[in-house]
Every structure is written in structure tokens, then in C-alpha cells.
Amino acid sequence: MTISLPNALPTTRPSGCPFDPPEQLGQLRASEPIARMRFADGHLGWVVTNHALAREVLTDPRFSSRGDLRHVPIDVERFKGKALPPVPRGMFIQMDAPEHSHYRKLLTGQFTVRRMNQLIPRIEQIAEEHLDAMARKGPPAELVHDYALAIPSLVICELLGVPYAERAVFHERTKLMMNLETGDEEVMAAFGEIMGYLSELITRKRAEPADDLLSGLVTGGQLDQEELVSFALLLLTAGHETTANMLALGAFALLRNPAQLKAFTAEPELVEPAVEELLRYLTITHFGLQRAALTDVEIGGVQVREGECVVLHTPTANRDPEKFEHPDELDLHRHASGHLAFGHGVHQCLGQQLARVEMRIGYRRLFERFPTLRLAVPAEEVPMRTRMGIYGVHSLPVTWES
């Protein structure tokens, strides 16, 4: 079979629409939904762009999430010719059962729908406080810093018991680590700093536990220091990085689609389906998800050999016309259930209910408070996170009639 993608995973978005996945991957979905791809380190694996096939891989236990089996699918200088670092103990999203099941079970009760709904009054308060600050300052505003990043960061800090005044430690280091242009030495230094901070924070929790999630994990006695630090890193990063980018990128998409924004503001009952449609349409897992075959597996009519990695390009799979009618259109009236923005199967995002609550409140209150909100710069000048692990905007300048 011809190698369909000989030069790693395409990452360039169409110039006319920064919300669409790379065009080459959409073309592949139509002609070769599971296709050969050479990874940046030379590994010969596969890329899946079809929704049904992606779901199939994500639920098949013959495909592994283990970090030590992965290869880098994108062409990035710092990864060339190098193996990925070992997976820290406790970093359960890069583990299979039974280790994954054991670790995830410790957190499942903390992220139920009921528990997340209990947070609604506090999330609404946080949103109001930041909207008040924007109104007092007056237009223009920078929506990422002033609003989108602040809401999930404050929520996850309070949930975990991380002093909000210390948030810069993980905000800045996480951004450095996720930037594909950051050099090896800078990445290792940032990683060392954030791990050192979290280790010291866990030590503080051990000495003076409080009523927060991290303190509960510490006093539970089922995790050692290294595992606790891994949990803290995973929850902090996932808890602010993903939702912050969805809030900002979703606001950008709505501002670029005035008819959809008008429907959103006119029909309060659209909030929940709008969030699901924005998750589907935008799918910020920029480079998709990855699994490795533990044995020879036939899928989509091809034989995936043991050890071969498969990239499930979720942004493209969520635009599959076999699953969603007119998938390249943003349609807030769409019933977008079944999208893969949170993954699928046993590794489906643990914090998805928290993210949904934050987005429902964040979008609704933003456009209720500032009904004349608009971009303060031409859309093509909005800086996109094209070289970051999570897609979004670096900044979103907005203005309104004060």
C-alpha cells in the first residue's frame, strides 16, 4: 500500500477558516479513512479520519493508551530521533487496565454530574465577577486573559485546593511545555519547576489538610508522593487548559457566525446543544488521540500490526458526513451527541461534566452581559494556537458598545 502521509500529520488549517481541520485529512477521510502515515521519528503507523472507525479503536482493548508505546505524529524538531520520556507513576491517562482503572476509580466520585451541578452557583459568581471587571474597565478587552482563562483556572484551583495566587507557576510552565517551538532545555526546566512546586504543595497538604480534592487524596493514603504529584499535574493542566481554549475559541466562532450567535442569544434553551455543537465543530485536540496495537488487529479492512501506532484525528472524525449532516457548518440546533471531543470508551475525559457546566455558564453570561460584543481586530489578525498541543487562540481582542 502507498504511504498516504509520508511526512507526518498535517497541522496547517485552511487559510479561509481557522476552525476547519487540515484539508488533506478531510480528503483522506473520503478516500482512505484509515491510511498509512510515517511519524516524525520514522515510525510507520496509521491515521484514522472516519468517526465510526475512531470509536471502534477507542473501545477496543487490543489498542493501548500506554505512553511508552507512542510515537510523535507531528513534525517537530525537538522530537526528531528521540524516544518519548518515561510515563510518571500515577499519570493514568497513559496507562491501560488494571493500572488505569485503579487510579481513575479514585477520582470518579469527584466528577459526577451531581457534584458538578453543585458548583454552578460558584461558577456563576466567578463569571459575574470577571464580567463586572471587564465592564468597569470598559472596552476593549482581551477575552482570553480577562475571562476565558480566569473561569476554569479559578474553579480548578478551588476544587483542588491550589492557592489561586500561585496559578502563574502552572499557567506559564504549562504554556511553555505545550508550545511545540519550545526547546528541550526550556521544556525540561519548566517541567522540573512545575513538578517541584506540586511536590511542595502536596507536602503542605500533608502537614495541613483542608476540605479539597488534593487533601482528600493525600489523607486517603492510597497514593505516594510521586503519584500524588502526577495526579495534581494532570488535573491542573486538563482543568484549565482545555476549557479555557474552548471558551475563547467558541466565542470567536460565534462572533464569526452572526446568524448562529443571534439564535444563541434569542433562544435560551439552545445553551446545552450549542455547547455540544461547539465541542464537535471546534474539537481542540489539535493532533487527535493515539493508540498502539497490542496485537495484530484488522480494522476498516486493513491489518494493523502489533506495535503500530494509530492516530485518531478527532477534529476530522467529528466532521464526518456519515455521522453529522453538513458537518462543516456550525449549527447550534444540531443534535451533536456522539462527538469525540472528549474521547470515547474507558479513557473518555473524566472532567467533561465540569467543562460542560463552565462552558454553558461562560458563553451564556458573556453574551447576555455584552450583547453588542464584537471583534476588535479583523478576524484574520486573531493569533491562532497552531503550534500548541491544544488548539485555540492566543488572544481574542473584543469590544462592545459601552
Side-chain angles (χ1 to χ4, degrees):
M1 182 183 291
T2 302
I3 299 173
S4 304
L5 292 175
N7 298 311
L9 190 71
T11 60
T12 303
R13 303 272 178 149
S15 57
C17 185
F19 310 120
D20 290 350
E23 291 176 321
Q24 189 177 358
L25 293 173
Q27 293 162 2
L28 262 186
R29 186 188 55 227
S31 62
E32 203 174 349
I34 177 168
R36 271 297 195 189
M37 183 181 81
R38 190 175 296 281
F39 288 54
D41 61 1
H43 174 76
L44 189 55
W46 302 86
V47 59
V48 169
T49 48
N50 169 280
H51 184 277
L53 288 181
R55 278 176 61 102
E56 185 178 338
V57 172
L58 289 169
T59 53
D60 192 330
R62 295 174 295 177
F63 286 97
S64 172
S65 292
R66 281 168 46 191
D68 59 310
L69 299 179
R70 297 184 184 188
H71 293 267
V72 178
I74 50 176
D75 189 11
V76 179
E77 190 62 36
R78 79 170 189 245
F79 293 125
K80 287 184 178 177
K82 298 175 184 175
L84 290 171
V87 178
R89 290 175 55 247
M91 190 60 66
F92 61 90
I93 62 169
Q94 295 187 42
M95 297 177 179
D96 296 333
E99 292 83 6
H100 170 264
S101 310
H102 164 70
Y103 285 127
R104 185 174 171 119
K105 189 176 180 181
L106 297 177
L107 290 171
T108 302
Q110 303 291 335
F111 290 94
T112 61
V113 174
R114 176 177 164 274
R115 183 81 183 271
M116 296 306 100
N117 285 339
Q118 290 173 345
L119 296 175
I120 287 176
R122 178 58 180 143
I123 297 171
E124 288 179 334
Q125 181 185 6
I126 291 168
E128 291 303 321
E129 289 171 351
H130 286 84
L131 292 169
D132 286 345
M134 284 174 56
R136 284 194 302 270
K137 183 181 174 184
E142 198 289 283
L143 204 65
V144 173
H145 178 270
D146 294 341
Y147 187 67
L149 182 59
I151 294 174
S153 297
L154 190 47
V155 171
I156 199 65
C157 281
E158 291 186 0
L159 191 62
L160 297 182
V162 176
Y164 189 59
E166 299 171 8
R167 67 193 182 281
V169 177
F170 61 88
H171 278 175
E172 295 169 6
R173 285 15 171 231
T174 300
K175 193 170 183 179
L176 266 176
M177 287 159 49
M178 298 193 76
N179 189 334
L180 302 180
E181 305 301 333
T182 306
D184 270 351
E185 291 185 7
E186 286 180 281
V187 169
M188 292 308 297
F191 182 73
E193 287 172 18
I194 196 170
M195 295 299 272
Y197 165 74
L198 292 173
S199 182
E200 188 269 335
L201 176 66
I202 297 298
T203 300
R204 275 189 269 161
K205 298 287 182 188
R206 213 180 290 281
E208 295 183 41
D211 184 22
D212 59 66
L213 196 156
L214 282 183
S215 291
L217 291 171
V218 169
T219 57
Q222 294 180 272
L223 300 171
D224 63 23
Q225 185 79 0
E226 182 181 354
E227 292 168 321
L228 286 164
V229 170
S230 291
F231 267 50
L233 176 62
L234 179 59
L235 293 169
L236 269 176
T237 304
H240 82 273
E241 182 74 14
T242 50
T243 308
N245 281 292
M246 266 305 303
L247 282 170
L249 188 62
F252 184 25
L254 288 170
L255 291 170
R256 287 287 307 274
N257 287 268
Q260 293 300 305
L261 178 55
K262 183 178 180 180
F264 180 79
T265 55
E267 303 173 51
E269 67 276 11
L270 273 188
V271 171
E272 290 190 18
V275 165
E276 299 307 312
E277 171 66 351
L278 287 166
L279 285 163
R280 179 204 70 85
Y281 181 71
L282 299 172
T283 312
I284 58 174
T285 46
H286 195 26
F287 310 125
L289 307 173
Q290 190 175 150
R291 297 292 186 265
L294 295 173
T295 186
D296 291 355
V297 185
E298 183 175 320
I299 182 167
V302 304
Q303 188 82 354
V304 178
R305 299 293 183 185
E306 179 181 351
E308 291 181 341
C309 286
V310 181
V311 170
L312 312 164
H313 199 263
T314 45
T316 304
N318 276 338
R319 299 291 190 93
D320 189 344
E322 293 183 7
K323 174 64 178 177
F324 301 104
E325 189 176 0
H326 305 300
D328 293 326
E329 296 177 9
L330 177 64
D331 179 4
L332 302 189
H333 292 91
R334 185 194 307 274
H335 186 60
S337 64
H339 65 73
L340 302 174
F342 291 119
H344 187 61
V346 296
H347 282 274
Q348 193 170 34
C349 175
L350 187 65
Q352 61 182 290
Q353 301 306 336
L354 176 59
R356 284 185 168 103
V357 170
E358 290 174 332
M359 284 186 278
R360 288 168 191 163
I361 294 170
Y363 293 134
R364 176 178 57 81
R365 289 304 298 130
L366 173 66
F367 290 108
E368 284 177 350
R369 189 67 178 273
F370 298 109
T372 61
L373 194 74
R374 64 183 187 275
L375 294 176
V377 297
E380 58 272 16
E381 293 182 14
V382 173
M384 308 304 299
R385 290 168 52 105
T386 55
R387 301 297 285 172
M388 305 291 285
I390 298 295
Y391 194 59
V393 295
H394 285 291
S395 64
L396 189 65
V398 293
T399 189
W400 62 91
E401 303 302 326
S402 57

